[in-house]
Amino acid sequence: MATRKENSTYSSNEKWIIECDLTYAVNKIGGRWKILIISKLESKVHRFSELKKELPFITERMLALQLRALEKDGLVKRTVYAEIPPKVEYELTEMALEFGPIFKQLSIWGGKHRSDTNSSS
Amino acid sequence: MATRKENSTYSSNEKWIIECDLTYAVNKIGGRWKILIISKLESKVHRFSELKKELPFITERMLALQLRALEKDGLVKRTVYAEIPPKVEYELTEMALEFGPIFKQLSIWGGKHRSDTNSSS
DNA sequence: GCCATTACTTACATGTTTGTTAGTACCGTA
DNA sequence: TACGGTACTAACAAACATGTAAGTAATGGC
């Protein structure tokens, strides 16, 4: 997300991780906010400020960073309108839309098992 | 994973995250190594040392930490045999086995799109 | 000119995760 | 008595991710 040092163990381990199709995929949607953002974008195209409103606990900085990352990974398309005040729209790409059914299943899993574990203690 | 400060914004934001079934689920398998560990355990019960051998880039410390976390989250069952030298076996719980088909789909997604993005630059 | 609006960016501080190295306990065997 | 095997743990250091606060640019309306 931020600048990465190459050659650290941390970085070189990442190479192992993305060699696996599964972890490669998970890596794309990893982090704290990406999935929430994608979920919002699934229903409709959003402006930056709309996302901000719908995800009030994400700071502007994080939202911007995550959107950039998603864009770079080809999951989100960014459209800038040359207006003042600025208007920027974000929408999912085909690639990202394919996550739909997977997210649904994960969501079902979550709903089913949320109460299973006593997360106290 | 390590000690968490409660009441930090970071922590309180987590509460929002696990309110959503989807992000709750993803949170359980988040982090760098959990998915790889679960994948290995899908095929068969493993001893600690077997996992270590199959995932050579994970340090012992990380392996131990992640296994503990998975155990706490009810995804992995740990069985200790009172022998010397020690023998400990790890296996997936029912709950974790349900990830199977989801992981498969994610894996397919990964395989399909790995080449799409030019991850250079 | 001053303020509001939108979509950001920058500098800095804090918090969390991961990696490094060394060490523990137990017993059997040499 | 020293050594090997297993499954860890502890103390420390480095890297990364996230949060805070403030600032930028352009233009239209007051």
Side-chain angles (χ1 to χ4, degrees):
Chain A
M1 221 60 59
T3 41
R4 276 264 178 98
K5 263 199 188 163
E6 301 300 320
N7 302 13
S8 65
T9 308
Y10 190 99
S11 283
S12 63
N13 269 346
E14 196 164 56
K15 306 216 172 74
W16 283 107
I17 287 170
I18 60 177
E19 290 231 328
C20 163
D21 286 346
L22 174 56
T23 44
Y24 170 85
V26 173
N27 227 43
K28 295 265 175 239
I29 53 174
R32 185 154 256 220
W33 307 117
K34 284 185 189 164
I35 287 190
L36 285 172
I37 295 170
I38 293 173
S39 295
K40 289 297 168 193
L41 293 181
E42 259 176 347
S43 55
K44 71 172 191 69
V45 174
H46 278 72
R47 297 183 61 174
F48 187 88
S49 54
E50 290 172 333
L51 284 169
K52 215 171 72 177
K53 229 168 289 170
E54 292 200 47
L55 302 167
F57 29 90
I58 309 185
T59 60
E60 284 185 53
R61 172 183 149 73
M62 273 301 120
L63 186 53
L65 279 177
Q66 304 290 3
L67 284 169
R68 294 265 177 253
L70 288 168
E71 191 193 358
K72 190 187 161 220
D73 280 343
L75 297 174
V76 159
K77 186 175 158 232
R78 181 165 175 266
T79 310
V80 184
Y81 296 87
E83 306 173 3
I84 295 289
K87 176 177 171 186
V88 180
E89 284 187 343
Y90 294 92
E91 65 190 303
L92 295 185
T93 59
E94 273 300 316
M95 203 166 142
L97 285 168
E98 289 175 33
F99 274 124
I102 301 178
F103 282 5
K104 197 160 210 169
Q105 280 183 266
L106 275 170
S107 193
I108 291 169
W109 188 98
K112 188 173 169 193
H113 296 292
R114 189 109 71 99
S115 41
D116 286 11
T117 339
N118 50 339
S119 53
S120 61
S121 85
Chain B
M1 218 59 57
T3 41
R4 275 266 179 98
K5 266 199 187 164
E6 300 300 320
N7 302 13
S8 65
T9 308
Y10 189 100
S11 282
S12 62
N13 268 346
E14 196 162 59
K15 307 215 170 73
W16 285 107
I17 288 171
I18 60 178
E19 290 229 329
C20 162
D21 286 346
L22 174 57
T23 44
Y24 170 84
V26 174
N27 227 43
K28 295 267 175 238
I29 53 174
R32 186 154 257 222
W33 306 118
K34 283 185 189 163
I35 288 190
L36 285 171
I37 295 170
I38 293 173
S39 295
K40 290 298 168 192
L41 293 180
E42 259 177 346
S43 55
K44 72 173 192 67
V45 173
H46 278 72
R47 298 183 60 174
F48 187 87
S49 54
E50 290 172 332
L51 284 170
K52 215 172 71 178
K53 230 167 290 171
E54 293 199 48
L55 303 167
F57 29 90
I58 309 183
T59 61
E60 284 185 53
R61 170 182 151 75
M62 273 301 119
L63 186 52
L65 279 176
Q66 305 290 5
L67 284 168
R68 295 264 178 254
L70 288 169
E71 191 193 357
K72 190 186 160 220
D73 280 342
L75 297 176
V76 158
K77 186 176 158 230
R78 180 165 175 268
T79 310
V80 183
Y81 295 88
E83 305 174 2
I84 295 288
K87 176 177 171 185
V88 180
E89 284 188 342
Y90 294 94
E91 65 190 304
L92 294 186
T93 60
E94 273 301 315
M95 203 167 143
L97 285 168
E98 288 175 33
F99 275 124
I102 301 178
F103 282 5
K104 197 160 210 166
Q105 281 183 265
L106 274 170
S107 193
I108 290 169
W109 188 97
K112 187 172 168 193
H113 296 293
R114 189 107 71 97
S115 39
D116 285 12
T117 340
N118 50 340
S119 53
S120 60
S121 84

